[in-house]
Amino acid sequence: MPKTSTEKARETVKKEVRSVPIEKIIDEVIDKQLKVNPGIVEKDKYFEIPDKIVMFYKYSYGSQSRFFKTLKEDAKLSGTKCSKCNFVYFPPRANCSECYSDVEWIDISNEAVVLSSTTVWYSNSEFFDRVPFAMAYIKPVNADTAILQRIELNDKEYAEPNSKVMARFRKERRGAISDFWYELL
Amino acid sequence: MDKKEVAVVGIGQTKFRARIPEKSYFELAFDATKEALDNAGISHKEVDSAVFGIYNDLFERQIMPDTYIQDYLGLYGKSGTRVTTGGATGGYAFRAAYAEVASGLSDITLLIGVEKAQDNFDWSQYKSTPEVLKSIAYSADMTWEFPVGAYAASSYALLATAHMKKYGTTEEQAALVSIKNHSNAFKNPYAQSPLKLSVKDVMDSRMITYPFKMYDCSLYTEGASVLVLMNKDTVKKYKISDPVWVMGIGSSNDKSFTGFRSVHDALGNYGDIADLRNHYEAARIAYKMAGISNPFKELDVAELHDAFSFTELQAYEAMGFTTRGGGGRFIEEGHSLIDGDLPVSPSGGLLGAGHAVGATGVMQIGEVAKQLKGEAGERQVKIEKGRGLAHSIGGPGSSYATVTILGV
Ligand SMILES: [Zn+2]
């Protein structure tokens, strides 16, 4: 007798599972914290429970991939230049947003200048343990735009606008914006 | 098009509070909707459509929260659309609701702004705020800016430090905005943060992200704010005696990559990273539609979007209340105080009344309407010209801006 669709499903569901979902691991961490501090959820006036939304990705950089590949493999910055209006994009764009013309890839200088800057002392959950850190809009000498990036302050509290900075690169790079930073000169 | 085509005829809001755990987002929306419909003297059955201003799905713990609100409000069978434009959500939702009525698609539209926030909880730090900030920080560009550590306050701090460098604006001048708006909140029974502060209190409060100290920053808030909009004929049909008319709306979005804003581009005549270029453009469009040429002389009241104290100084300039770079002096001279020549944010603004994101812009437009009708209670300002302005902004580096002019 041919198998019914339910029977086929029953055979395959078990085989499809490779390991425990990562979400379950997070639940275990939260459950442990609740045992330590059960009063953290309110059950008298209203009823609260722990909850979460977790998403995982395998993200493609699309046409900007070339920037991240060059950054990872060669420790170099790259941007794009419009073939018609000569506008230099950094971060790079595969299309000119001003005139819709084609662009070509160019090398971007490590020398740059600070346009505006802030030093962060209180941040969101993902960066809560990393303060203080400084970030700034930084314009490389041969780009028409500025990029948001971290600045190593070298014991200063703040990077003044118009300060000169130089790009520095991590030894171990993974192809992300955190592979480089700027240092005050 | 002719002015006095679309009117605000009903206003309702919940109290703005840090957290309202006894109500869910759709229940908050219900409370403010009931009050607005009562205020207009109509039932929900007479409404043709709804526009929802809700910023952040991660706050509500729900993608498409609008459809669940529409169901809860018994508005099934009618059109419903959601607007989400960061901090400018309320102002832009008002634009959409206006368009709904002005186009003739609806005679009566409900504009519902609502937001939760503080159900977000950081289980590592045992507190809400860092997780609330994370929910918002995901609005930063996820490839280039979020991983650097960008979040709402740093994004606006980078505009402020540029303004300080270009125009010599000081932290003490920004502190005056904080003092004014926290003080105005004492007279607003719906407000979250009435506080009596001195310049020293603001200057001594803990650094958040330079130059913003704690009292330069609005707090996150939960609440709802609702308006009922009607076209001219329906206003007559219902014999509404005190309509507040929409005289002008202008909206403009700048480049979301703040570092791309340059004096050489199409908004370059308004300036660069130091200037709220799209706010200038939004104001220009709104004033043109409303026939206003000297806003400082022709407006009775303004509600500005002071998510951060410095931003209000920058907005004085962009709204044309003062000269370029004159924002700091404008408050030093007392023009924007509640008894000044042009009171700004008598509600307390975001600093004083709270920032319930999707509800904020709706609340501020509602405040201008109440002021123009003379129904603002203890915080009523003098109405002589019958014109008021509400400013609603948001997004990375304030990329969204919309300006609404109301009149009676
Ligand atoms: Zn071009």
Side-chain angles (χ1 to χ4, degrees):
Chain A
M1 258 235 307
K3 285 175 186 157
T4 68
S5 57
T6 309
E7 282 165 346
K8 283 182 195 163
R10 189 172 289 127
E11 277 176 20
T12 52
V13 281
K14 285 268 153 53
K15 284 186 227 159
E16 280 170 352
V17 176
R18 289 174 194 275
S19 71
V20 178
I22 297 173
E23 287 90 335
K24 275 199 182 164
I25 297 165
I26 297 172
D27 282 339
E28 283 164 19
V29 173
I30 293 176
D31 284 347
K32 256 186 221 158
Q33 302 213 25
L34 264 177
K35 283 199 184 99
V36 177
N37 191 357
I40 211 160
V41 292
E42 178 75 57
K43 291 205 170 80
D44 296 340
K45 285 179 250 158
Y46 39 84
F47 195 87
E48 283 181 333
I49 59 158
D51 199 8
K52 64 183 182 311
I53 295 176
V54 184
M55 287 300 306
F56 299 98
Y57 296 87
K58 188 163 70 68
Y59 180 75
S60 164
Y61 287 128
S63 299
Q64 292 176 329
S65 295
R66 178 158 161 173
F67 169 88
F68 290 101
K69 199 160 182 282
T70 310
L71 175 63
K72 181 176 190 292
E73 290 171 6
D74 308 328
K76 276 187 178 161
L77 303 179
S78 50
T80 55
K81 182 177 183 178
C82 175
S83 58
K84 192 173 164 209
C85 72
N86 290 325
F87 196 84
V88 174
Y89 289 96
F90 181 71
R93 292 185 174 188
N95 307 95
C96 179
S97 303
E98 294 290 338
C99 74
Y100 281 34
S101 298
D102 294 337
V103 298
E104 54 172 349
W105 285 85
I106 60 164
D107 291 341
I108 291 292
S109 172
N110 291 341
E111 283 178 57
V113 64
V114 173
L115 296 189
S116 75
S117 152
T118 184
T119 306
V120 178
W121 292 89
Y122 190 94
S123 192
N124 72 68
S125 303
E126 282 198 31
F127 295 86
F128 204 72
D129 58 348
R130 316 231 196 123
V131 298
F133 57 84
M135 63 173 122
Y137 280 106
I138 294 168
K139 188 171 171 293
V141 291
N142 67 334
D144 289 312
T145 62
I147 191 170
L148 184 70
Q149 190 50 288
R150 291 286 186 89
I151 292 191
E152 173 56 53
L153 291 175
N154 292 331
D155 299 329
K156 288 213 176 81
E157 258 190 31
Y158 172 63
E160 281 290 335
N162 299 336
S163 303
K164 287 196 169 133
V165 292
M166 184 69 82
R168 306 282 185 217
F169 299 85
R170 274 182 211 279
K171 281 216 178 67
E172 301 286 325
R173 295 179 301 278
R174 60 186 204 95
I177 188 78
S178 52
D179 286 349
F180 77 106
W181 71 94
Y182 287 91
E183 191 171 357
L184 270 182
L185 291 181
Chain B
M1 73 175 278
D2 282 350
K3 286 154 215 161
K4 304 203 169 181
E5 290 287 336
V6 178
V8 175
V9 300
I11 306 168
Q13 85 163 96
T14 67
K15 193 164 167 25
F16 276 19
R17 270 168 41 201
R19 190 167 185 234
I20 310 180
E22 68 275 19
K23 302 258 182 186
S24 64
Y25 67 93
F26 45 86
E27 292 161 348
L28 290 172
F30 184 92
D31 290 353
T33 299
K34 190 167 191 298
E35 190 177 297
L37 290 169
D38 288 349
N39 185 244
I42 62 167
S43 110
H44 66 290
K45 295 197 163 44
E46 294 163 270
V47 167
D48 298 309
S49 62
V51 174
F52 300 91
I54 311 165
Y55 160 49
N56 192 324
D57 295 359
L58 298 174
F59 282 169
E60 267 63 52
R61 193 184 139 278
Q62 180 64 61
I63 291 177
M64 301 189 301
D66 48 300
T67 189
Y68 301 99
I69 298 173
Q70 183 160 354
D71 177 342
Y72 198 76
L73 297 180
L75 296 174
Y76 57 92
K78 304 168 194 292
S79 164
T81 39
R82 175 189 178 186
V83 172
T84 175
T85 53
T89 295
Y92 259 106
F94 185 87
R95 179 189 170 102
Y98 169 83
E100 185 77 41
V101 177
S103 65
L105 286 172
S106 298
D107 293 334
I108 307 177
T109 290
L110 259 181
L111 166 60
I112 298 153
V114 62
E115 209 78 55
K116 276 268 165 184
Q118 311 251 24
D119 286 347
N120 285 159
F121 193 78
D122 180 337
W123 285 90
S124 302
Q125 310 301 333
Y126 287 132
K127 52 187 161 198
S128 281
T129 306
E131 199 69 1
V132 174
L133 296 179
K134 190 179 89 184
S135 272
I136 303 159
Y138 286 165
S139 300
D141 179 84
M142 291 300 285
T143 300
W144 299 97
E145 299 203 338
F146 176 81
V148 173
Y151 72 118
S154 69
S155 177
Y156 285 69
L158 287 160
L159 307 176
T161 53
H163 196 266
M164 289 165 78
K165 182 74 182 178
K166 188 168 177 179
Y167 299 112
T169 307
T170 66
E171 294 177 65
E172 288 79 1
Q173 289 172 328
L176 297 175
V177 172
S178 174
I179 294 166
K180 166 178 76 72
N181 292 353
H182 282 108
S183 164
N184 288 354
F186 278 107
K187 293 179 175 173
N188 180 356
Y190 294 98
Q192 179 183 359
S193 308
L195 281 173
K196 192 172 167 0
L197 295 173
S198 65
V199 172
K200 188 172 185 312
D201 291 334
V202 181
M203 294 297 292
D204 289 351
S205 63
R206 71 162 285 180
M207 188 62 79
I208 301 296
T209 180
Y210 178 81
F212 297 170
K213 280 80 60 191
M214 195 181 73
Y215 288 134
D216 290 308
C217 304
S218 59
L219 301 175
Y220 290 101
T221 305
E222 300 187 349
S225 191
V226 173
L227 299 174
V228 182
L229 278 72
M230 269 185 195
N231 66 21
K232 187 170 58 180
D233 293 341
T234 314
V235 166
K236 262 188 221 147
K237 188 177 131 193
Y238 281 85
K239 300 189 171 67
I240 305 282
S241 59
D242 58 351
V244 178
W245 300 98
V246 183
M247 309 301 290
I249 296 182
S251 312
S252 170
N253 297 349
D254 205 343
K255 297 169 176 175
S256 46
F257 283 86
T258 306
F260 281 38
R261 298 172 192 171
S262 133
V263 293
H264 303 297
D265 69 18
L267 284 177
N269 57 324
Y270 293 127
D272 55 22
I273 189 172
D275 304 283
L276 305 177
R277 312 182 326 160
N278 54 322
H279 301 218
Y280 280 93
E281 176 68 358
R284 184 191 66 77
I285 298 166
Y287 291 147
K288 189 176 172 210
M289 182 172 165
I292 287 176
S293 53
N294 184 343
F296 181 61
K297 297 271 181 230
E298 294 175 54
L299 295 170
D300 287 311
V301 63
E303 283 278 322
L304 299 184
H305 190 104
D306 55 325
F308 305 100
S309 57
F310 281 79
T311 316
E312 181 168 316
L313 298 180
Q314 292 175 280
Y316 294 153
E317 300 166 22
M319 296 301 104
F321 299 168
T322 182
T323 52
R324 189 175 281 271
R329 222 171 37 248
F330 190 75
I331 187 142
E332 280 176 339
E333 291 168 359
H335 299 297
S336 54
L337 299 180
I338 195 151
D339 55 357
D341 316 314
L342 177 48
V344 171
S345 299
S347 72
L350 285 63
L351 287 163
H355 188 10
V357 193
T360 298
V362 182
M363 178 277 282
Q364 290 193 290
I365 293 169
E367 172 70 13
V368 172
K370 278 185 195 170
Q371 290 284 354
L372 291 173
K373 292 206 287 183
E375 292 178 0
E378 270 190 83
R379 61 186 188 283
Q380 181 65 48
V381 304
K382 220 184 289 167
I383 301 299
E384 289 167 335
K385 305 132 200 168
R387 296 284 182 277
L389 174 149
H391 164 251
S392 185
I393 65 161
S398 194
S399 62
Y400 300 110
T402 182
V403 170
T404 307
I405 315 283
L406 300 180
V408 286

